């Protein structure tokens, strides 16, 4: 009888162990949902955005298992661990932890805007965890756009703090007007603006403000040499950019000089949300990226 009980208990443990191993990933920085089956692809949205920006990307690319990242504090998600301090860098570490703990086999990573910054962080700081990276309209040092040539994170601290303070302390009317203007300047396709605007308005103002200031002060150019995975960068020259196409291309080339193997491609007739303004072109670029070596 004792032997039978022992065998029965062992059987229960054997059955329970796999279920325990599949426990949900817990984080106070990110929420991840999974869609589809196939090779793993991690999708990271940008500042004050949600995984809704990737809906058409997922639909256009069956045969992959997409891991959709939602940052806490954005688009109505609970603030939790993003209540103080930096936002992007800690979340990037949580994405790397997710890849490791869920035993993903070197997934492809695609990040838009701030998500592109985080994709580069993961690739540079955890090079063995990813197979390839696509950055959608983001520089390794966004702060270069907020100061004169030669600006550094140190010299830009007053600018970043001024912008953070203005964003965080804006009243409801000021914030609504600012977000309306910002989204209009980032998305040419009028029908796609309401969703992005709703996500932005549902984001916690303080989290968004700190994240934006963090991006101004984050200089990943020295870390680019640590990225061993193939890197593709899609970028635009938006309608409001006070530069020519050639100047924008030169700026991106100079920004990624520490990673000469990076593939840089300007997408014409698009603003910041390329997936909305040029959906067919974007889908084709993602197909080429995912299908390449």
């Amino acid at each position: 009888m004792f032997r039978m009980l022992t065998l029965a208990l062992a059987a229960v443990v054997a059955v329970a162990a796999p279920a325990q191993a599949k426990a949900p990933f817990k984080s106070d920085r990110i929420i991840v949902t999974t869609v589809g089956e196939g090779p793993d692809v991690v999708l990271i949205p940008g500042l004050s955005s949600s995984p809704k920006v990737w809906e058409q990307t997922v639909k256009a690319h069956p045969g992959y298992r997409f891991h959709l990242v939602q940052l806490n504090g954005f688009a109505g998600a609970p603030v939790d661990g993003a209540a103080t301090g930096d936002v992007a860098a800690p979340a990037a570490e949580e994405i790397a932890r997710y890849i490791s703990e869920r035993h993903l086999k070197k997934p492809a990573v695609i990040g838009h805007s701030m998500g592109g910054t985080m994709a580069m962080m993961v690739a540079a700081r955890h090079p063995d965890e990813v197979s390839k990276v696509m950055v959608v309209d983001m520089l390794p040092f966004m702060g270069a756009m907020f100061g004169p040539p030669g600006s550094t994170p140190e010299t830009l601290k007053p600018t970043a703090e001024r912008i953070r303070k203005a964003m965080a302390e804006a009243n409801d009317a000021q914030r609504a007007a600012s977000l309306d203007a910002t989204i209009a300047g980032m998305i040419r396709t009028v029908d796609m603006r309401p969703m992005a605007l709703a996500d932005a308005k549902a984001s916690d103002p303080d989290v968004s403000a700190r994240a934006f200031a963090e991006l101004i002060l984050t200089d990943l150019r020295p870390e680019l040499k640590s990225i061993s995975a193939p890197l593709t960068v899609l970028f635009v020259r938006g309608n409001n950019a006070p530069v020519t196409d050639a100047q924008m291309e030169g700026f991106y080339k100079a920004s990624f000089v520490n990673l000469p193997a990076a593939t840089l491609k300007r997408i014409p007739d698009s603003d910041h949300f390329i997936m909305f303004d040029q959906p067919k072109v974007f889908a084709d670029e993602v197909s080429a990226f995912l299908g390449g070596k």
Side-chain angles (χ1 to χ4, degrees), residues 39-41 61-64 66 108 110 131-132 134 230 232 283-293:
D40 292 306
V41 182
H61 299 89
Y64 292 92
F66 291 99
I110 304 177
S131 62
K132 61 184 73 173
M134 174 181 277
T232 298
D284 288 346
E285 291 294 337
V286 171
S287 293
F289 166 76
L290 293 178
K293 297 294 186 182

Side-chain angles (χ1 to χ4, degrees), residues 113-114 116-118 120-121 125 135 137-157 159-160 212-224 231 233 248 251-258:
S113 191
M114 174 176 155
T117 295
M118 295 164 63
M120 287 186 278
M121 287 176 172
R125 298 168 187 178
V135 173
D137 207 40
M138 191 59 172
L139 293 157
F141 180 36
M142 191 183 81
M145 302 172 65
F146 288 82
S151 294
T152 67
E154 187 64 31
T155 63
L156 288 171
K157 281 184 178 180
T159 298
F212 196 85
E214 179 189 358
L215 291 177
I216 294 174
L217 301 178
T218 297
D219 186 358
L220 296 178
R221 292 175 298 181
E223 296 188 55
L224 292 176
L231 181 77
V233 182
M248 184 62 79
F251 190 53
Y252 264 83
K253 186 175 181 180
S255 296
F256 283 91
V257 69
N258 286 338

Side-chain angles (χ1 to χ4, degrees), residues 7 57 73 78 88 106-107 123 142 145 168 175 181 212 251 264 272 293:
L7 291 174
T57 301
K106 296 179 74 73
M142 191 183 81
M145 302 172 65
R175 183 167 183 262
F212 196 85
F251 190 53
L264 310 178
H272 188 52
K293 297 294 186 182

Side-chain angles (χ1 to χ4, degrees), residues 24-27 29-35 41-44 51 65-72 91 94-99 102 104:
F25 176 80
K26 293 183 178 180
S27 171
R29 292 283 182 169
I30 61 173
I31 302 164
V32 185
T33 56
T34 304
V35 178
V41 182
V42 177
L43 300 177
I44 315 171
R65 182 168 65 159
F66 291 99
H67 304 265
L68 302 160
V69 178
Q70 172 67 66
L71 267 68
N72 283 7
E94 286 295 87
I95 292 172
R97 183 170 71 87
Y98 174 84
I99 292 171
R102 303 310 286 179
L104 306 191

Side-chain angles (χ1 to χ4, degrees), residues 137 185 188 236-243 248 270-272:
D137 207 40
R188 297 187 189 188
V236 304
R237 183 188 67 80
N239 272 336
N240 298 325
V243 295
M248 184 62 79
S270 178
D271 281 325
H272 188 52

Side-chain angles (χ1 to χ4, degrees), residues 183-184 186-197 276-277:
I183 294 299
M186 288 183 168
I187 303 173
R188 297 187 189 188
T189 308
V190 176
D191 290 347
M192 299 305 296
R193 290 176 183 172
M195 182 271 288
L197 185 59
F276 293 163
D277 288 339

